[in-house]
Amino acid sequence: MHLTSHTDYALRVLLYLRLREDGKSTIQEIADAYGISKNHLMKVVQRLAGLGYVDASRGRGGGLLLAKLPEEINLGRLVEEMEPHLDLVECFDMKTNTCPIAPVCDLKGVLGEAQQSFLGTLLGYTLADLGTRPQRLRKILKMPKAGG
Amino acid sequence: MHLTSHTDYALRVLLYLRLREDGKSTIQEIADAYGISKNHLMKVVQRLAGLGYVDASRGRGGGLLLAKLPEEINLGRLVEEMEPHLDLVECFDMKTNTCPIAPVCDLKGVLGEAQQSFLGTLLGYTLADLGTRPQRLRKILKMPKAGG
DNA sequence: CGATAAGAGGTATTCTGAATGCATGTTATG
DNA sequence: CATAACATGCATTCAGAATACCTCTTATCG
Ligand code: SF4
Ligand code: SF4
């Protein structure tokens, strides 16, 4: 039971940008701040751009900006969109299911309900609920001061 | 986001035994019923035996029996015990965490809460809540008639 | 216009852990 | 003592995630 690093990285990027609303941030800068691979992070950012969460501008002086208000970025929605699939067990994908009792299995319903609880909790939060300790976060992330 | 097949297989075994309280079932029989590998299922059953969910008797005439009442077998508990880990994101395991903001990350708490919602839902169900359509299940599983 | 910074996008490789198979040991029964 | 059934450990395969590269495009600046 785990989320992919893509999903977590996406959230890290958004959190970073939320604390940095005053100016653009480059992928390199964010990768350095979290100590992760720039190449890897580029894929995540492309995805976020495609989903409309960030605006990316190329060329010298380019970088990333949040494309929405933090209050508009729902964590549950983001997780649903970033995760490659939400197939808790094989029968959740009827196309590849091999379990013979799927049509009449109560467990399937119970697991589905549990997953909805999970996502439902996340749907109750937005990016605006994160970063409640901005000073400490900015310090850990070695974030440039406003205007820098 | 998915559970391992071990967890699902464990639940399948318990469901099978619950519908078959009248007599022992062999691993072979259950593997055939679900169309899965016997070798694989043996590992799952050993785990279930170790956790005290089933009694396994060896030798000719041996087989499996539920070691608890269906009402005593909680689905949330079982999932917790069968899953190799519940590390939704890397920071859930402090020993291997590399994320620098873990000590001050609000996201961690939110994800933890969501996971608790998931498990909390499952904790509300027991094996007794499954198998509400026993006739159809027994038929699909080609289960021997009572006493057979 | 040319150099350069930055993102876009595709491909290849590595790595991990799950899934599976196999071989042998142990226990109980008849 | 033959056999049926579970126990245990190890090896292998496989899928998907994670990561690394490489080339292309775009935009800015001197
Ligand atoms: S046992 Fe139920 S939940 Fe598990 S795969 Fe089969 S249908 Fe789905
Ligand atoms: S960003 Fe937060 S939730 Fe994600 S790994 Fe870091 S500490 Fe954990």
Side-chain angles (χ1 to χ4, degrees):
Chain A
M1 172 137 191
H2 69 298
L3 302 176
T4 64
S5 68
H6 270 206
T7 302
D8 188 43
Y9 288 178
L11 288 160
R12 293 193 202 183
V13 168
L14 293 175
L15 177 60
Y16 191 100
L17 295 179
R18 180 225 191 302
L19 293 171
R20 191 78 201 297
E21 278 172 317
D22 57 298
K24 291 176 187 169
S25 313
T26 68
I27 293 177
Q28 183 70 65
E29 174 187 332
I30 300 175
D32 290 344
Y34 288 108
I36 57 184
S37 154
K38 175 193 166 193
N39 294 299
H40 199 182
L41 204 55
M42 279 179 48
K43 307 301 170 63
V44 175
V45 168
Q46 281 176 226
R47 193 79 196 289
L48 283 174
L51 292 169
Y53 287 106
V54 304
D55 282 329
S57 50
R58 305 202 222 187
R60 181 177 295 195
L64 309 174
L65 283 176
L66 274 186
K68 304 185 180 197
L69 293 176
E71 298 79 25
E72 295 171 341
I73 297 183
N74 185 283
L75 303 189
R77 203 155 187 57
L78 183 82
V79 168
E80 290 181 89
E81 290 173 328
M82 288 298 299
E83 283 294 297
H85 65 81
L86 293 172
D87 301 336
L88 205 54
V89 284
E90 62 161 310
C91 62
F92 276 37
D93 183 355
M94 283 306 196
K95 279 144 201 131
T96 57
N97 177 60
T98 67
C99 180
I101 67 172
V104 65
C105 177
D106 297 317
L107 178 59
K108 190 175 168 181
V110 170
L111 291 175
E113 185 187 333
Q115 189 175 56
Q116 283 310 115
S117 297
F118 177 85
L119 292 172
T121 298
L122 293 183
L123 285 170
Y125 291 97
T126 72
L127 184 59
D129 297 314
L130 306 184
T132 59
R133 281 157 292 192
Q135 301 310 340
R136 292 189 61 188
L137 276 167
R138 287 202 184 90
K139 187 174 176 189
I140 294 176
L141 293 170
K142 295 180 175 50
M143 197 174 285
K145 296 280 182 275
Chain B
M1 170 136 191
H2 69 298
L3 301 177
T4 64
S5 67
H6 270 207
T7 302
D8 188 43
Y9 288 178
L11 288 160
R12 293 192 202 184
V13 168
L14 293 175
L15 177 59
Y16 191 100
L17 296 178
R18 179 225 191 305
L19 293 172
R20 192 75 202 298
E21 279 171 319
D22 56 299
K24 291 176 186 169
S25 314
T26 69
I27 292 177
Q28 184 70 64
E29 173 187 333
I30 300 175
D32 289 345
Y34 287 108
I36 57 184
S37 154
K38 176 193 165 192
N39 295 299
H40 199 181
L41 203 55
M42 280 178 46
K43 309 300 173 64
V44 174
V45 168
Q46 281 176 226
R47 193 78 196 291
L48 284 174
L51 291 169
Y53 287 105
V54 305
D55 283 329
S57 50
R58 305 202 223 187
R60 181 178 295 195
L64 308 175
L65 283 176
L66 274 186
K68 305 185 179 196
L69 293 175
E71 298 78 26
E72 296 171 339
I73 297 183
N74 185 283
L75 303 190
R77 204 157 188 56
L78 183 83
V79 168
E80 289 181 88
E81 291 173 327
M82 288 297 301
E83 283 293 298
H85 65 81
L86 293 172
D87 300 337
L88 205 54
V89 284
E90 62 161 310
C91 62
F92 276 36
D93 183 355
M94 282 307 195
K95 280 145 201 129
T96 57
N97 178 60
T98 67
C99 180
I101 68 172
V104 66
C105 177
D106 299 316
L107 178 58
K108 191 176 168 179
V110 170
L111 291 175
E113 184 187 334
Q115 189 175 56
Q116 283 310 115
S117 297
F118 176 85
L119 292 172
T121 297
L122 292 183
L123 284 170
Y125 291 96
T126 72
L127 184 58
D129 298 314
L130 305 184
T132 59
R133 279 156 293 190
Q135 300 310 341
R136 292 190 61 188
L137 275 167
R138 287 203 184 89
K139 188 174 175 188
I140 294 176
L141 293 170
K142 295 179 176 50
M143 197 175 286
K145 295 280 181 274

